[in-house]
Amino acid sequence: MTTTSLTATGVRALARIVARDDGRGGTALPVLESEAPLALRRTRASGAEARVMLVGAMSGPHGGDRFAVEAHVDRGARLDVRSAAATIALPGQTKDEARYDVRLTVADHGELRWLPEQLISAAGSGLCVTTRVDLGASARFVLREEQVLGRVGEEPGQLTSRLTVRVAGRTVLDQELACGPGAPGGWDGPAVLGGHRAVGQLVVARPEFVQETPDARMLGENAMLVPLAGPAVLVSAVAADGLRLRRVLDRALELLG
């Protein structure tokens, strides 16, 4: 762990993971570096898979903060990354927007499960989240992204989220959602969230989908599975709260095996 970078406009922090086949049937982590308030902790492995927990050492991100997390999985390596608790976007001493950038790369025959806890947009906060994923043609990948607009009984902050997924250099998903004060009109209307306060998605990429991709279909009243233009599928869901959203996405992941 290195020293946190603190500026007049907020905290700068970077966490980096590199997973590599150790040649003995397991996965090594030659790079596991983080700056407070981001902390990476290796947990007990499961077979060939390495497991890492992302721990927030303090609250935030606050307005003006700049957080970034990068993970690279080499050929033959397997990595599971989770977070210890929800991330709560909070107002800061400045009116600057906070940023949280996630960059994930998985080589051919590598595997990454990216399953962080929920992001909560608290009243008065402003946060822009970008997640960029680059996958090899034969990579295996699961990403769960969940956002809750406001804590119980409060209005949401301003939240912009963009997710881009590329497979073998080809963009198969590029979408952006803006919610809360200052977002384009209609974000809470029937065409987007429909009055719900939790929104999430699941991206699953597998080489087997080249031969047989799941068909598009509804998964209950407020969730939809859509095949992407590559060996991947997207599940999008809305719910009244974070607990109901998690249940919907867990069922979808179980359905996909």
Coordinates of all heavy atoms in Angstrom, one line a residue, residues 79-82 104 106 110-116 133 135 139-145 201-206 209 233 249 253 256-257:
L79 N -9.8 -15.2 -11.3 CA -9.8 -14.2 -10.3 C -11.2 -13.9 -9.9 O -12.1 -13.7 -10.8 CB -9.1 -12.9 -10.7 CG -9.1 -11.8 -9.8 CD1 -8.3 -12.1 -8.5 CD2 -8.5 -10.5 -10.4
D80 N -11.5 -13.8 -8.6 CA -12.8 -13.4 -8.1 C -12.6 -12.2 -7.2 O -11.8 -12.2 -6.3 CB -13.4 -14.6 -7.3 CG -14.8 -14.3 -6.7 OD1 -14.9 -13.3 -5.9 OD2 -15.8 -15.0 -7.1
V81 N -13.3 -11.1 -7.5 CA -13.1 -9.8 -6.8 C -14.5 -9.4 -6.3 O -15.4 -9.3 -7.0 CB -12.5 -8.7 -7.7 CG1 -12.4 -7.4 -6.8 CG2 -11.2 -9.1 -8.2
R82 N -14.5 -9.1 -5.0 CA -15.7 -8.6 -4.3 C -15.4 -7.5 -3.4 O -14.2 -7.2 -3.2 CB -16.4 -9.8 -3.5 CG -16.7 -11.0 -4.4 CD -17.3 -12.1 -3.6 NE -17.4 -13.3 -4.5 CZ -18.5 -13.9 -4.8 NH1 -19.6 -13.5 -4.3 NH2 -18.5 -15.0 -5.6
L104 N -11.1 -3.2 -16.4 CA -11.0 -4.6 -16.3 C -10.5 -5.2 -17.6 O -11.1 -4.9 -18.7 CB -12.3 -5.3 -15.9 CG -13.0 -4.6 -14.7 CD1 -14.3 -5.3 -14.4 CD2 -12.1 -4.8 -13.4
V106 N -9.3 -9.0 -19.4 CA -9.2 -10.5 -19.2 C -8.7 -11.0 -20.6 O -9.3 -10.9 -21.6 CB -10.5 -11.1 -18.9 CG1 -10.3 -12.6 -18.6 CG2 -11.2 -10.4 -17.7
G110 N -8.6 -16.6 -19.8 CA -8.6 -16.1 -18.4 C -10.1 -16.0 -17.9 O -11.0 -16.1 -18.7
E111 N -10.2 -15.8 -16.6 CA -11.6 -15.8 -16.1 C -11.6 -14.7 -14.9 O -10.7 -14.7 -14.1 CB -12.0 -17.1 -15.5 CG -13.4 -17.1 -14.9 CD -13.9 -18.5 -14.6 OE1 -13.3 -19.5 -15.0 OE2 -14.9 -18.6 -13.8
L112 N -12.6 -13.9 -14.9 CA -12.8 -12.9 -13.9 C -14.3 -12.8 -13.5 O -15.2 -12.7 -14.3 CB -12.4 -11.5 -14.4 CG -12.7 -10.3 -13.5 CD1 -11.9 -10.4 -12.2 CD2 -12.3 -9.0 -14.2
R113 N -14.5 -12.9 -12.2 CA -15.8 -12.6 -11.6 C -15.7 -11.3 -10.8 O -15.0 -11.3 -9.8 CB -16.2 -13.8 -10.7 CG -16.5 -15.1 -11.5 CD -16.6 -16.3 -10.6 NE -17.6 -16.1 -9.5 CZ -18.9 -16.3 -9.7 NH1 -19.4 -16.8 -10.9 NH2 -19.8 -16.2 -8.7
W114 N -16.4 -10.3 -11.2 CA -16.3 -9.0 -10.6 C -17.7 -8.7 -10.0 O -18.7 -8.4 -10.6 CB -16.0 -7.9 -11.7 CG -15.8 -6.5 -11.1 CD1 -16.6 -5.5 -11.0 CD2 -14.5 -6.1 -10.7 NE1 -16.0 -4.4 -10.5 CE2 -14.7 -4.7 -10.2 CE3 -13.2 -6.6 -10.5 CZ2 -13.7 -4.0 -9.7 CZ3 -12.2 -5.9 -10.0 CH2 -12.4 -4.5 -9.6
L115 N -17.8 -8.9 -8.6 CA -19.0 -8.9 -7.9 C -19.0 -7.9 -6.7 O -19.1 -8.4 -5.6 CB -19.4 -10.3 -7.5 CG -19.5 -11.3 -8.6 CD1 -19.6 -12.7 -8.0 CD2 -20.7 -11.0 -9.5
P116 N -18.8 -6.6 -6.9 CA -18.8 -5.7 -5.8 C -20.2 -5.5 -5.2 O -21.2 -5.9 -5.8 CB -18.3 -4.4 -6.4 CG -18.8 -4.5 -7.8 CD -18.7 -6.0 -8.2
V133 N -14.4 -2.6 -19.9 CA -14.1 -4.0 -19.9 C -13.5 -4.4 -21.2 O -14.2 -4.2 -22.2 CB -15.3 -4.9 -19.5 CG1 -14.8 -6.4 -19.4 CG2 -15.9 -4.4 -18.2
L135 N -12.2 -7.9 -23.1 CA -12.1 -9.3 -23.0 C -11.5 -10.0 -24.2 O -11.8 -9.5 -25.4 CB -13.5 -9.9 -22.8 CG -14.3 -9.3 -21.6 CD1 -15.8 -9.9 -21.7 CD2 -13.7 -9.6 -20.3
A139 N -12.3 -15.4 -23.3 CA -12.3 -15.1 -21.8 C -13.7 -15.5 -21.2 O -14.7 -15.5 -21.9 CB -12.1 -13.6 -21.6
R140 N -13.7 -15.7 -19.9 CA -14.9 -16.0 -19.2 C -15.0 -14.8 -18.2 O -14.1 -14.5 -17.5 CB -14.9 -17.3 -18.5 CG -14.6 -18.5 -19.5 CD -14.5 -19.8 -18.7 NE -15.8 -20.2 -18.2 CZ -16.7 -20.9 -18.8 NH1 -16.5 -21.2 -20.1 NH2 -17.8 -21.2 -18.3
F141 N -16.3 -14.3 -18.1 CA -16.4 -13.0 -17.3 C -17.8 -12.9 -16.8 O -18.8 -13.2 -17.4 CB -16.1 -11.9 -18.3 CG -16.3 -10.5 -17.7 CD1 -15.4 -10.0 -16.7 CD2 -17.4 -9.7 -18.0 CE1 -15.5 -8.8 -16.2 CE2 -17.5 -8.4 -17.5 CZ -16.6 -8.0 -16.5
V142 N -17.9 -12.5 -15.5 CA -19.2 -12.1 -14.9 C -19.0 -10.8 -14.2 O -18.0 -10.6 -13.4 CB -19.6 -13.2 -13.9 CG1 -20.9 -12.7 -13.2 CG2 -19.8 -14.5 -14.5
L143 N -19.9 -9.8 -14.5 CA -19.9 -8.5 -13.8 C -21.3 -8.3 -13.3 O -22.3 -8.4 -14.0 CB -19.4 -7.4 -14.8 CG -19.5 -6.0 -14.2 CD1 -18.4 -5.1 -14.8 CD2 -20.9 -5.3 -14.6
R144 N -21.3 -7.9 -12.0 CA -22.6 -7.4 -11.4 C -22.4 -5.9 -11.0 O -21.5 -5.6 -10.3 CB -23.0 -8.3 -10.2 CG -24.3 -7.9 -9.6 CD -24.6 -8.7 -8.3 NE -23.6 -8.4 -7.3 CZ -23.1 -9.2 -6.4 NH1 -23.5 -10.5 -6.5 NH2 -22.3 -8.8 -5.5
E145 N -23.4 -5.1 -11.5 CA -23.3 -3.7 -11.1 C -24.7 -3.3 -10.6 O -25.7 -3.5 -11.2 CB -23.0 -2.9 -12.4 CG -22.9 -1.4 -12.2 CD -22.4 -0.7 -13.4 OE1 -23.3 -0.4 -14.3 OE2 -21.2 -0.4 -13.6
Q201 N -27.4 -4.4 -13.4 CA -27.2 -5.2 -14.5 C -26.1 -6.3 -14.3 O -25.3 -6.2 -13.4 CB -26.7 -4.3 -15.7 CG -25.6 -3.4 -15.5 CD -25.7 -2.1 -16.4 OE1 -26.5 -2.1 -17.3 NE2 -24.9 -1.2 -16.1
L202 N -26.2 -7.3 -15.1 CA -25.4 -8.4 -15.0 C -24.8 -8.7 -16.4 O -25.6 -8.8 -17.4 CB -26.2 -9.6 -14.5 CG -25.4 -10.9 -14.1 CD1 -24.6 -10.7 -12.8 CD2 -26.5 -12.0 -13.9
V203 N -23.5 -8.7 -16.6 CA -22.9 -9.1 -17.9 C -22.2 -10.4 -17.7 O -21.4 -10.6 -16.8 CB -21.9 -8.0 -18.3 CG1 -21.3 -8.4 -19.6 CG2 -22.6 -6.6 -18.5
V204 N -22.5 -11.3 -18.6 CA -21.9 -12.7 -18.5 C -21.4 -13.0 -19.9 O -22.1 -12.9 -20.9 CB -22.9 -13.8 -18.1 CG1 -22.2 -15.1 -18.1 CG2 -23.5 -13.5 -16.8
A205 N -20.1 -13.3 -20.0 CA -19.4 -13.6 -21.3 C -18.8 -15.0 -21.1 O -18.1 -15.3 -20.2 CB -18.3 -12.6 -21.6
R206 N -19.1 -15.8 -22.1 CA -18.5 -17.2 -22.1 C -18.3 -17.6 -23.5 O -19.1 -17.3 -24.4 CB -19.5 -18.2 -21.5 CG -19.7 -18.0 -20.0 CD -20.7 -18.9 -19.4 NE -20.9 -18.7 -18.0 CZ -22.1 -18.9 -17.4 NH1 -23.1 -19.4 -18.0 NH2 -22.2 -18.7 -16.1
F209 N -21.1 -19.3 -25.6 CA -22.2 -18.5 -26.2 C -22.1 -18.3 -27.7 O -23.0 -17.9 -28.4 CB -22.4 -17.2 -25.5 CG -22.9 -17.3 -24.1 CD1 -22.8 -16.2 -23.2 CD2 -23.5 -18.4 -23.6 CE1 -23.3 -16.2 -21.9 CE2 -24.0 -18.5 -22.3 CZ -23.9 -17.4 -21.5
V233 N -24.1 -11.9 -22.7 CA -25.5 -11.5 -22.5 C -25.5 -10.4 -21.5 O -24.6 -10.3 -20.6 CB -26.4 -12.7 -22.1 CG1 -26.4 -13.8 -23.2 CG2 -25.9 -13.3 -20.8
L249 N -31.0 -10.3 -9.6 CA -29.8 -10.6 -10.3 C -29.2 -12.0 -9.9 O -28.6 -12.7 -10.7 CB -28.8 -9.5 -10.1 CG -29.2 -8.1 -10.6 CD1 -28.1 -7.1 -10.3 CD2 -29.5 -8.2 -12.1
L253 N -28.3 -15.0 -12.5 CA -27.0 -15.6 -12.6 C -27.1 -17.1 -12.4 O -26.5 -17.9 -13.1 CB -26.1 -15.1 -11.5 CG -24.6 -15.5 -11.6 CD1 -24.0 -15.2 -13.0 CD2 -23.8 -14.8 -10.5
L256 N -28.3 -18.6 -15.6 CA -27.3 -18.7 -16.6 C -26.2 -19.8 -16.3 O -25.3 -20.0 -17.1 CB -26.6 -17.3 -16.8 CG -27.5 -16.3 -17.5 CD1 -26.9 -14.9 -17.3 CD2 -27.7 -16.6 -19.0
G257 N -26.3 -20.3 -15.1 CA -25.4 -21.4 -14.7 C -24.1 -20.9 -14.2 O -23.1 -21.6 -14.3

